[in-house]
Amino acid sequence: MAITRRSLIAFAATLALAGCAKHESSQEITIRIGSIAPLTGPQSHLGKDNDNGARLAADEINASGLVIGGSKAKIVILSEDDQADPKTATIVAQKLVDEGVNGVIGDLNSGTSIPASKIYSDAGIAEVSPSATAIAYTNQGYKTAFRVITNDRQQGHALAEFAAGTLKAGSIAIIDDRTAYGQGLADEFEKDVKASGARIVAREYTSDHATDFTAILTSIKGKKPDLIFFGGMDAQAGPMMKQLRNLGMKPEFLGADGSRSPEFIRLAGKSAEGAYASSPGLPLEKMPGGKAFIEKFEAKYGKIQLYSPYCYDATVALVDAMKKANSPDPKKYLPFLAQTNLTGVTGPIVFDSRGDIKEGAVTLYQVRNGNWVALP
Amino acid sequence: MDIFLQQLINGIVLGSIYSLVALGYTLVYGIMGLINFAHGDIVMVGAMVAFTVIHLLSGSGLPMFLIAGIGILAAILVCMAVGYLIEKVAYRPLRGAPRLAPLITAIGVSMLLQNLAMMIWGRGYLSFPALLPAISIPVAGAGISAVQILIVCASAAMMSGLSFLVKKTKLGNAMRATAQNREVATLMGVNANAIISITFIIGSALAAVAGVMVSAYYGVAHYDMGFILGLKAFTAAVLGGIGNIEGAMLGGLLLGIIESMGAGYLGAITGGVMGSNY
């Protein structure tokens, strides 16, 4: 019931926004871009972060005076809440398609991006995900699905190399949150560590809404792994880390991009110390536009959580394609989007034939003195 | 064996929390025949209030146990007030109405509390401070933390206190009389409305304590934490026979142990067919 009401409010707000847009002068074209992320629930901090990234890009482009096809253009971001729920994501996607948006930034999660991508593909609207890393997202053959982040095949490989190579973990326990992202990444990781000779002593599951992990951690405790890998988001990884140390367990903790946020450290408290996690792409400070982005973003919205630079780049890439095509019509600008070649905040943005980013980097981090520090 | 023992301890701790929450369901059901679906959200309010108070006081230099004590006390008082208000505003006007009406109201109150909490405390997860030092006492290879001991002891104390209150005191007599037949109890000079209010207040106080415990145990609090917890506690109350105080305690413990054992062993026994995500 709460869901319905919330989405009703969001719907009303969007209608109001759309209404405003229609009343503007006819010389100026309004380009409407949907921004979809979980704005409520355990991942709302990440969702808001993503949304702010897209908004920052839109504000800057608007301020610099955008001209498309000879007429002045203005970008309006339509924020939608998918609640990190695949079902809601398809409803929201259909709504944006019905409203005739020019393009879409989203979704945040892989589990939501994958079902939504079919709807955008059927409608021929470009979807650029800033943070969906599951392989399946661009593997469905849709010409409209793009992402500006390294995918899980590359990330899982780097994580496995780190676990088996650098940390020399011989026995490994794997936990995932049964989402497309968590499970997909855990599968990739499992495949690669097995190939490098490590033993998988346990494979456990939780959900993306759980807070109690004592039972699965206890059953893992009996198997004495050197390392625990978690495929999932920070809202689970934080409490999990805390409960892990409260149970007196000493194994290394390795997460992926979903766990590598300030939120993880806040939730895990002192237990966070020493945890490892990877992130696609370069560390924020080493990104070509990283420093400037931190300043701009933090002046306006506060601390960066995870993906806002990617959201910024996704928006810039989308608008860049529209500029080159001289049209905000997806049919016209899609070929230009596929040929994107620009240097964004996060690095060079060039898509391969699937819509994946070419030469995506992966960086590993460790919590030291309450901060994520990039490992060389 | 040590792993089994650890799972048993986990289960008992979890079960103690469920029992405390289940008592609130059972008390209200026993007296009014109403399933108070807002009860889980009162648990959440308790956790949130304690969180705020502990955060405000954490810079004051008071010792941690005192801060925690004040936090729990504040949570209990606020929850008592909320419980009283809910009964007065949402349920009392429907005293003579068909049973479905107060049930729908209960769901409405639950939504109201959740959305209010979302507006006040935000949508994200709050990191609940550790009330006790994270020490682990070894018991035959397993470990019990100070928080776990506190949870089990506090719930046991509160449950036996409640049992005593209902069975041995005058107030308990009046409560049981109201539960059996409200009209006859009123004829005998029992103020049924006051008894119902008191029942709600007691149930809410238990919920507040449960809220603080569950947040301190897991280290997180968030606005919709009461929903699943309430559902599980309701299941526990039904398992033990709703309306029955000992039943609720037993049901809670049983559910906690089953959950913990299930998560620990079901995956291994069924070869991963049934997972650990319950």
Side-chain angles (χ1 to χ4, degrees):
Chain A
M1 294 294 272
I3 291 164
T4 329
R5 203 169 55 170
R6 227 178 283 145
S7 44
L8 262 180
I9 294 169
F11 185 62
T14 331
L15 274 188
L17 264 178
C20 295
K22 271 175 201 142
H23 291 303
E24 271 163 30
S25 67
S26 54
Q27 287 101 345
E28 194 181 76
I29 32 174
T30 305
I31 297 170
R32 289 180 302 157
I33 296 179
S35 155
I36 308 111
L39 300 175
T40 55
Q43 295 174 31
S44 53
H45 60 290
L46 300 178
K48 202 74 205 125
D49 188 51
N50 272 24
D51 198 48
N52 287 341
R55 281 180 183 277
L56 183 65
D59 288 350
E60 279 180 13
I61 295 167
N62 284 339
S64 69
L66 177 65
V67 177
I68 286 182
S71 48
K72 266 193 80 185
K74 186 172 171 261
I75 296 169
V76 175
I77 298 283
L78 303 181
S79 307
E80 288 291 342
D81 179 14
D82 65 13
Q83 299 167 8
D85 172 40
K87 275 201 299 295
T88 314
T90 57
I91 296 168
V92 165
Q94 193 57 53
K95 204 182 104 193
L96 286 172
V97 167
D98 291 347
E99 282 173 12
V101 289
N102 302 91
V104 164
I105 307 296
D107 298 8
L108 189 150
N109 304 82
S110 298
T112 48
S113 301
I114 295 166
S117 61
K118 177 168 184 351
I119 294 170
Y120 297 124
S121 166
D122 289 351
I125 293 173
E127 177 191 17
V128 186
S129 175
S131 47
T133 52
I135 297 159
Y137 170 60
T138 51
N139 232 357
Q140 309 169 95
Y142 299 147
K143 291 279 163 250
T144 49
F146 295 87
R147 66 173 137 217
V148 291
I149 198 157
T150 315
N151 72 25
D152 284 344
R153 186 173 297 124
Q154 295 155 308
Q155 194 178 185
H157 188 72
L159 279 164
E161 223 166 61
F162 180 72
T166 316
L167 295 178
K168 298 195 175 31
S171 55
I172 294 172
I174 299 176
I175 308 173
D176 74 62
D177 65 359
R178 287 234 149 144
T179 62
Y181 160 71
Q183 198 166 359
L185 186 61
D187 286 344
E188 282 301 314
F189 175 77
E190 182 173 358
K191 210 169 63 196
D192 285 338
V193 273
K194 263 189 188 157
S196 50
R199 221 157 32 89
I200 307 295
V201 291
R203 178 79 200 249
E204 299 281 351
Y205 309 94
T206 180
S207 83
D208 58 347
H209 280 82
T211 45
D212 177 20
F213 311 101
T214 44
I216 50 175
L217 289 174
T218 302
S219 89
I220 288 174
K221 189 180 183 182
K223 290 160 187 156
K224 300 191 172 54
D226 300 331
L227 179 136
I228 295 178
F229 174 76
F230 176 60
M233 306 304 288
D234 51 6
Q236 277 67 48
M240 185 183 289
M241 185 79 199
K242 200 173 196 175
Q243 289 163 33
L244 179 76
R245 296 298 184 235
N246 280 352
L247 280 168
M249 295 167 69
K250 301 270 181 283
E252 304 283 6
F253 185 86
L254 177 64
D257 54 323
S259 310
R260 199 201 64 78
S261 67
E263 185 81 355
F264 169 83
I265 299 172
R266 206 172 63 77
L267 290 175
K270 283 194 194 92
S271 311
E273 214 49 35
Y276 296 99
S278 66
S279 259
L282 296 165
L284 203 53
E285 309 78 49
K286 282 192 191 154
M287 288 175 183
K291 240 193 185 126
F293 183 80
I294 297 175
E295 269 169 32
K296 282 187 295 193
F297 189 91
E298 296 197 338
K300 214 164 175 179
Y301 304 109
K303 214 165 170 149
I304 295 168
Q305 288 289 344
L306 276 181
Y307 305 120
S308 42
Y310 294 94
C311 246
Y312 182 93
D313 278 1
T315 316
V316 169
L318 205 55
V319 175
D320 180 67
M322 291 176 188
K323 268 198 266 187
K324 284 193 182 127
N326 277 325
S327 163
D329 180 6
K331 275 191 209 67
K332 296 202 179 113
Y333 77 72
L334 262 172
F336 290 92
L337 184 60
Q339 287 160 25
T340 298
N341 188 349
L342 57 87
T343 305
V345 169
T346 59
I349 297 183
V350 182
F351 298 115
D352 67 8
S353 58
R354 282 209 175 99
D356 278 332
I357 193 132
K358 267 188 193 163
E359 291 166 23
V362 180
T363 313
L364 279 135
Y365 295 79
Q366 187 180 27
V367 180
R368 287 179 189 162
N369 300 321
N371 277 308
W372 285 108
V373 178
L375 299 176
Chain B
M1 191 61 202
D2 52 340
I3 294 302
F4 178 81
L5 195 66
Q6 185 73 62
Q7 294 288 25
L8 194 65
I9 293 169
N10 294 344
I12 290 171
V13 173
L14 201 58
S16 306
I17 296 168
Y18 289 162
S19 297
L20 265 189
V21 184
L23 278 176
Y25 279 101
T26 266
L27 269 180
V28 169
Y29 187 87
I31 288 190
M32 295 177 67
L34 160 74
I35 299 166
N36 179 16
F37 274 115
H39 192 66
D41 299 297
I42 297 180
V43 175
M44 174 272 296
V45 171
M48 293 302 202
V49 170
F51 168 82
T52 307
V53 172
I54 292 171
H55 249 252
L56 285 179
L57 290 179
S58 60
S60 65
L62 291 169
M64 193 59 206
F65 71 92
L66 201 64
I67 294 176
I70 296 172
I72 294 173
L73 204 67
I76 291 175
L77 289 176
V78 171
C79 282
M80 280 175 155
V82 171
Y84 175 75
L85 260 179
I86 289 173
E87 196 273 325
K88 186 113 182 171
V89 175
Y91 300 142
R92 192 168 295 182
L94 295 170
R95 203 46 65 72
R99 286 180 69 169
L100 204 55
L103 195 71
I104 295 169
T105 312
I107 296 169
V109 170
S110 159
M111 278 166 53
L112 178 78
L113 286 180
Q114 272 186 34
N115 284 290
L116 273 180
M118 191 172 87
M119 285 156 74
I120 299 172
W121 286 285
R123 294 173 289 203
Y125 278 39
L126 303 173
S127 162
F128 204 85
L131 302 182
L132 292 170
I135 39 166
S136 185
I137 300 153
V139 180
I144 309 180
S145 69
V147 179
Q148 288 180 315
I149 295 174
L150 180 78
I151 289 175
V152 175
C153 291
S155 341
M158 296 193 70
M159 286 190 269
S160 35
L162 185 72
S163 210
F164 175 80
L165 178 87
V166 172
K167 293 220 172 84
K168 302 278 186 212
T169 62
K170 208 171 165 189
L171 176 66
N173 253 338
M175 283 168 83
R176 280 180 295 141
T178 313
Q180 277 176 12
N181 193 322
R182 196 183 302 158
E183 274 165 38
V184 177
T186 314
L187 289 176
M188 296 294 159
V190 175
N191 184 349
N193 269 340
I195 293 297
I196 291 173
S197 287
I198 289 171
T199 310
F200 265 87
I201 290 173
I202 294 174
S204 303
L206 294 177
V209 176
V212 178
M213 282 176 176
V214 77
S215 304
Y217 186 34
Y218 295 133
V220 286
H222 53 107
Y223 74 93
D224 62 354
M225 64 185 277
F227 179 71
I228 293 290
L229 188 65
L231 217 56
K232 283 180 176 168
F234 174 62
T235 314
V238 172
L239 187 67
I242 192 156
N244 182 332
I245 292 181
E246 281 78 19
M249 299 179 199
L250 206 69
L253 275 178
L254 205 60
L255 192 71
I257 294 171
I258 292 173
E259 196 180 312
S260 172
M261 292 294 171
Y265 293 103
L266 215 53
I269 293 170
T270 59
V273 177
M274 294 176 83
S276 45
N277 52 332
Y278 296 104

